[in-house]
Amino acid sequence: MPPTSTARAGTVAAVLSLAVAGCATPADAPAPPDGRASPAPQTYRPHPADFDGDGHEDLVLALPAVEIDGTPDAGCVVVVPGSADGPDVSSARAVSRADEGVPGSVAEGDRFGGGSWPGPGTLAGDLDGDGLTDLFVGAGHQGGEGSAGQGPVLLWGSGDGLVTGAALDVPYGSVEAIGDFDGDGHPDLVHHDAQAGGGPAEFGLLYGPFSREGGPDRTGSAPIEPGGDDLSLVPGDVNGDGRTDLVGLRSFEETAHSAGVWLGSADGLQRYESDEPLPTADEGTVADVDGDGYGDLVLRDPGGSVENPPHVPGEIAVVYGSPDGPGDRRAALTLDTEGVPGDSFEGDRFGGSLASGDVDGDGYTDVVTGVRRPSGDGPVDAGDVVVLRGGPEGLTGNGAVRYGPEDVGAPVSSHDSQPLALDADGDGLTEVFVRSRPESAQTYPEVLGSLWMFHGDGEPAGILDLTGVPSLPGE
């Protein structure tokens, strides 16, 4: 896609979020590349966020603090359809409660698309089993009395995209992740609360398929052992059995706890007990970086405290998957790792935001991380991204590349970068989309910031200009 004019600068609160994956069938799984061992048998694969069924992944931008019909902090989600030429900005549209087919009404503070910290604002998967990707959208009260009217919704995919939906009644807590946790071929939703109903902390499971009225096929629960009241969840198939597992990034106040893992099973989620404690982590993704068919844990290790990252060099910890779950093989990468562009420094934020996909088309999953520049090296704290290549030896610094907004003619920002990875043009190479994000994931600044992209082969692709998207302020 040719570069376009500079992305709009405006007074719109924004968080860019890639809809997280559901599941697909074994027939959809790609064959291993030449010279690579066949992966372990598995049926789980991330479900592309293709809401209109045209075979191209769509980009989701959550704008929870946008003003709708004069109502502040009402929120919307913008969907930019994919096409053979990449993201089709001319067909992008904003979806909010002002739309006739979306449940609920526009309300101040609803923050449609914003989720409930630390849960994500949007999650994608074929929730009703009709073959088209649907979208969970967080908003308002995530659970409890009155949540069905102003709480989260499910937007149904169709040939025309996301035009209708249903309210989702969450019994307690916030929806945190999507995946096929019981392996029946239908995506499920998981929610959690530190003290569900005043009792012990637990996961709640809403099993798919969901009815068009928003009801799950059945519900379930799984206990969460003590050790970290704040818990964000990262889904992926760690043991290659075709069921989605969950990695829990845990902390209490400023103290980071070892990550926890819950393995999917026919009976739901089962706690995985590791012989050796897993690293502490406050960011993460699950990616098969060595191509053996088992999802590997790629985590930003804050070193025991979630308050450390602004003051210490960043480190990415890799725990390789195995048939039993996270295995004994581990690795660590920093900006000082051989082949990785740059040098470590205090507050470099290496690993502070993570995305994964096959960027170079070699059949191995790569990892993209945001990273800052040292003071005096260009604009202060401007956010760059580093691509770490997967390969038969796993995640290493070999072939790593670094990109900055200047490489595509985008404006430089002092905010951290948030990379997203998807194949919007369907060519088999993952494109990387980057935008600046606020200092804290819990707040959304009143600026849109820049949104820029590059192809997996390193070819600059330019800037996405969203000036003309209907329903945004000023349009």
Side-chain angles (χ1 to χ4, degrees):
M1 188 182 75
T4 60
S5 59
T6 302
R8 171 166 59 151
T11 57
V12 182
V15 166
L16 177 63
S17 61
L18 176 64
V20 181
C23 64
T25 62
D28 295 325
D34 293 340
R36 193 184 95 184
S38 296
Q42 58 178 337
T43 58
Y44 175 83
R45 187 173 78 87
H47 196 290
D50 178 13
F51 306 113
D52 54 8
D54 67 352
H56 298 97
E57 291 189 64
D58 306 321
L59 183 66
V60 178
L61 301 93
L63 303 167
V66 75
E67 181 179 291
I68 300 294
D69 293 342
T71 305
D73 287 339
C76 70
V77 293
V78 174
V79 179
V80 185
S83 74
D85 296 320
D88 181 7
V89 175
S90 65
S91 299
R93 61 182 291 263
V95 181
S96 74
R97 292 198 197 269
D99 295 335
E100 183 177 354
V102 178
S105 57
V106 174
E108 182 175 354
D110 187 36
R111 301 185 70 84
F112 188 80
S116 176
W117 188 86
T122 59
L123 300 166
D126 182 12
L127 293 165
D128 59 0
D130 67 351
L132 294 171
T133 309
D134 311 305
L135 187 69
F136 162 87
V137 180
H141 300 289
Q142 288 276 337
E145 184 178 355
S147 66
Q150 281 298 124
V153 303
L154 304 180
L155 298 177
W156 308 120
S158 73
D160 296 321
L162 303 171
V163 294
T164 62
L168 177 68
D169 187 8
V170 183
Y172 58 83
S174 60
V175 173
E176 301 276 339
I178 189 171
D180 184 10
F181 304 109
D182 59 358
D184 66 352
H186 298 288
D188 315 309
L189 296 174
V190 62
H191 58 97
H192 96 276
D193 196 326
Q195 291 185 337
E202 67 177 16
F203 292 121
L205 288 160
L206 305 176
Y207 289 102
F210 289 75
S211 71
R212 280 294 181 127
E213 289 71 41
D217 181 67
R218 58 191 176 92
T219 62
S221 63
I224 304 174
E225 89 289 352
D229 285 346
D230 293 327
L231 179 70
S232 58
L233 302 176
V234 180
D237 187 1
V238 179
N239 61 358
D241 67 352
R243 301 182 178 96
T244 309
D245 310 313
L246 281 179
V247 181
L249 314 181
R250 306 180 301 172
S251 64
F252 177 70
E253 295 180 346
E254 75 279 0
T255 302
H257 292 259
S258 297
V261 173
W262 292 262
L263 300 177
S265 73
D267 298 321
L269 294 169
Q270 308 291 329
R271 176 76 173 113
Y272 171 79
E273 298 294 340
S274 176
D275 293 335
E276 181 181 353
L278 294 173
T280 61
D282 61 353
E283 297 284 345
T285 185
V286 176
D288 183 11
V289 296
D290 59 357
D292 64 356
Y294 306 110
D296 308 311
L297 278 58
V298 182
L299 311 170
R300 197 266 292 269
D301 187 349
S305 173
V306 295
E307 296 182 352
N308 277 343
H311 313 292
V312 300
E315 177 176 303
I316 292 177
V318 183
V319 181
Y320 289 90
S322 77
D324 299 321
D328 296 330
R329 181 186 171 205
R330 303 187 180 195
L333 295 92
T334 70
L335 282 174
D336 289 333
T337 298
E338 183 177 0
V340 179
D343 298 296
S344 293
F345 63 93
E346 294 180 355
D348 60 29
R349 303 295 179 95
F350 182 73
S353 53
L354 296 165
S356 58
D358 186 4
V359 173
D360 51 15
D362 66 351
Y364 297 95
T365 306
D366 309 305
V367 173
V368 186
T369 174
V371 64
R372 287 188 169 189
R373 302 175 188 174
S375 177
D377 185 9
V380 176
D381 291 340
D384 292 351
V385 293
V386 170
V387 180
L388 301 170
R389 309 287 185 181
E393 302 302 319
L395 199 66
T396 69
N398 295 334
V401 292
R402 182 168 180 158
Y403 299 102
E406 302 97 324
D407 295 326
V408 295
V412 175
S413 171
S414 63
H415 293 300
D416 293 338
S417 295
Q418 181 185 17
L420 305 174
L422 71 155
D423 182 10
D425 58 9
D427 66 353
L429 290 175
T430 297
E431 292 86 51
V432 178
F433 299 80
V434 187
R435 81 169 294 273
S436 301
R437 69 174 185 175
E439 294 288 330
S440 169
Q442 302 180 55
T443 60
Y444 307 101
E446 293 299 319
V447 293
L448 179 61
S450 61
L451 174 62
W452 49 280
M453 59 181 288
F454 58 88
H455 292 301
D457 57 6
E459 179 186 350
I463 308 165
L464 293 186
D465 182 359
L466 300 175
T467 303
V469 176
S471 301
L472 288 183
E475 303 305 325

